[in-house]
Amino acid sequence: MKSPYLITKEEALRVYKPVNPHTHKGLQGHAVIIAGSYGKIGAAVLASKSCLKSGCGLVTTFIPKCGYQILQISIPEVMTVTDENTNFITNIHLPLIPQAVGIGPGIGKELGTQKALFEFLRINKAPLVIDADALNILAENLSWFELVPENTILTPHPKELERLIGKWNSDSEKFQKTIAFSEKYKVIVVMKGAPTFIINKSEIYQNTTGNAALATAGSGDVLTGILTSLLAQGYEPKYAAKLGVYLHGLTADLALPKTGYESFTASTIIKYLGKAFLELDN
Ligand SMILES: NC(=O)C1=CN([C@@H]2O[C@H](COP(=O)(O)OP(=O)(O)OC[C@H]3O[C@@H](n4cnc5c(N)ncnc54)[C@H](OP(=O)(O)O)[C@@H]3O)[C@@H](O)[C@H]2O)[C@@H](O)CC1
Ligand SMILES: Nc1ncnc2c1ncn2[C@@H]1O[C@H](COP(=O)(O)OP(=O)(O)O)[C@@H](O)[C@H]1O
Ligand SMILES: [Mg+2]
């Protein structure tokens, strides 16, 4: 196994593109978040809010009907399109052409949702981030990866990774299998954990930010929003992945002296995104 490249501040600065003073919301990218089901609309709220707060111009969120008021009231800046079904997604229809889509947080694995994911993958042309239950559905239908665009970013936590690549007996086997998966399906795998690694074919990158404060519900949903936002702004997927995991971890490093590990929540990540971006302007 090659030794990993570290994602340091210098590397993040190389990747980061400061906002052009003459830009407008139409140039900053329109991102779509497809997330949520009854009881897990919070995942859609967290991903959408972090997406909006990572620099893209417009965010539209696709949710089942039951999430409509929750989402509109929680984040008035985000536009909402609802499925015809009440409790889970069954038919993804988008009245726009997005620059990037993040799909999966909290969507569940209902049969109707599985079919909706398949149909969405058949027609989608936008750069993609695939997370959570969308990964779990794909893990049971590996042939659908044919429909997944090259350089799509997958963001599995260890259990989701195991569902995708099977069990491993050692760390080195885990990396070997993930590299083989990345090469076979031409996808970028963000192996979330402590620390997070990014696998892009045979290249391995290791993040240098983040701490145990991130071990809290919804922190992965927030990462999905950040990555989708960066893709929508035109970052190449491999750069979006590096910058996104770096900023996500940095929020926890910046917040820790104020919150301690215990009171840090996924919303704290979102609260500290501004400070994390400002670190790159110094
Ligand atoms: N507010 C909301 O709406 C929220 C909605 N959410 C949504 O809920 C859905 C289900 O997501 P999920 O990840 O909780 O369930 P699932 O895929 O079964 O994984 C759990 C298993 O994985 C393991 N595991 C996890 N991390 C690990 C690690 N670092 N290292 C090692 N093991 C690790 C863990 O293992 P354990 O240690 O518990 O045995 C357990 O077995 C998903 O759509 C998500 O987006 C959540 O984001 C929460 C907030
Ligand atoms: N101990 C830890 N140190 C650093 N990062 C962590 C730690 N525990 C969790 N994380 C990060 O928090 C996120 C958790 O994602 P995930 O398990 O998908 O959460 P959720 O599904 O609840 O949103 C990942 O980015 C992971 O790297
Ligand atoms: Mg998750």
Side-chain angles (χ1 to χ4, degrees):
M1 190 182 103
K2 283 200 254 179
S3 55
Y5 299 100
L6 293 181
I7 308 171
T8 56
K9 182 170 183 182
E10 291 66 39
E11 181 62 13
L13 281 168
R14 260 195 293 279
V15 170
Y16 175 60
K17 297 187 284 189
V19 172
N20 178 340
H22 301 293
T23 193
H24 60 77
K25 67 183 177 190
L27 293 176
Q28 285 299 110
H30 192 159
V32 163
I33 299 293
I34 302 172
S37 57
Y38 184 84
K40 290 190 174 155
I41 296 301
V45 172
L46 291 166
S48 306
K49 209 180 240 182
S50 60
C51 188
L52 189 73
K53 286 199 65 177
S54 299
C56 68
L58 297 158
V59 178
T60 294
T61 301
F62 189 88
I63 42 170
K65 266 207 183 77
C66 65
Y68 180 70
Q69 293 199 356
I70 300 166
L71 209 103
Q72 289 285 72
I73 294 168
S74 311
I75 334 172
E77 298 89 343
V78 166
M79 294 170 282
T80 304
V81 180
T82 58
D83 197 274
E84 61 239 30
N85 192 45
T86 304
N87 288 344
F88 54 89
I89 290 169
T90 58
N91 178 18
I92 299 161
H93 52 88
L94 299 173
L96 65 129
I97 298 173
Q99 271 75 57
V101 176
I103 186 165
I107 63 173
K109 283 175 52 186
E110 293 281 349
L111 199 56
T113 306
Q114 299 195 26
K115 287 183 180 155
L117 174 64
F118 178 74
E119 288 306 321
F120 167 77
L121 291 174
R122 261 172 20 104
I123 55 165
N124 172 63
K125 301 253 182 317
L128 265 187
V129 179
I130 306 184
D131 184 33
D133 294 320
L135 291 175
N136 296 331
I137 294 171
L138 277 162
E140 291 172 18
N141 298 278
L142 286 174
S143 64
W144 297 5
F145 270 103
E146 267 180 37
L147 305 171
V148 167
E150 197 167 332
N151 292 323
T152 287
I153 302 174
L154 313 186
T155 57
H157 63 46
K159 194 73 190 176
E160 290 157 348
L161 184 67
E162 185 188 300
R163 291 175 187 133
L164 285 167
I165 67 169
K167 285 190 191 303
W168 51 82
N169 293 309
S170 64
D171 247 20
S172 96
E173 193 189 358
K174 174 171 73 173
F175 280 97
Q176 269 171 25
K177 286 182 126 184
T178 308
I179 288 167
F181 190 93
S182 167
E183 285 174 336
K184 180 169 182 187
Y185 297 112
K186 301 186 171 61
V187 290
I188 296 169
V189 184
V190 174
M191 296 165 77
K192 294 188 298 196
T196 288
F197 291 91
I198 299 172
I199 307 293
N200 185 16
K201 314 265 174 53
S202 64
E203 306 283 290
I204 307 176
Y205 301 90
Q206 179 178 342
N207 191 30
T208 60
T209 58
N211 59 65
L214 291 167
T216 182
S219 59
D221 305 335
V222 169
L223 179 66
T224 295
I226 297 170
L227 296 173
T228 309
S229 187
L230 296 175
L231 282 183
Q233 289 166 71
Y235 282 91
E236 274 183 50
K238 63 182 176 191
Y239 296 137
K242 283 194 222 176
L243 184 59
V245 298
Y246 181 85
L247 288 166
H248 180 260
L250 186 55
T251 63
D253 295 341
L254 293 170
L256 194 62
K258 302 253 189 284
T259 63
Y261 292 102
E262 290 83 355
S263 85
F264 185 98
T265 66
S267 294
T268 320
I269 307 174
I270 298 173
K271 182 174 168 196
Y272 276 79
L273 271 170
K275 286 200 167 64
F277 274 100
L278 284 172
E279 288 281 307
L280 299 180
D281 278 330
N282 292 329

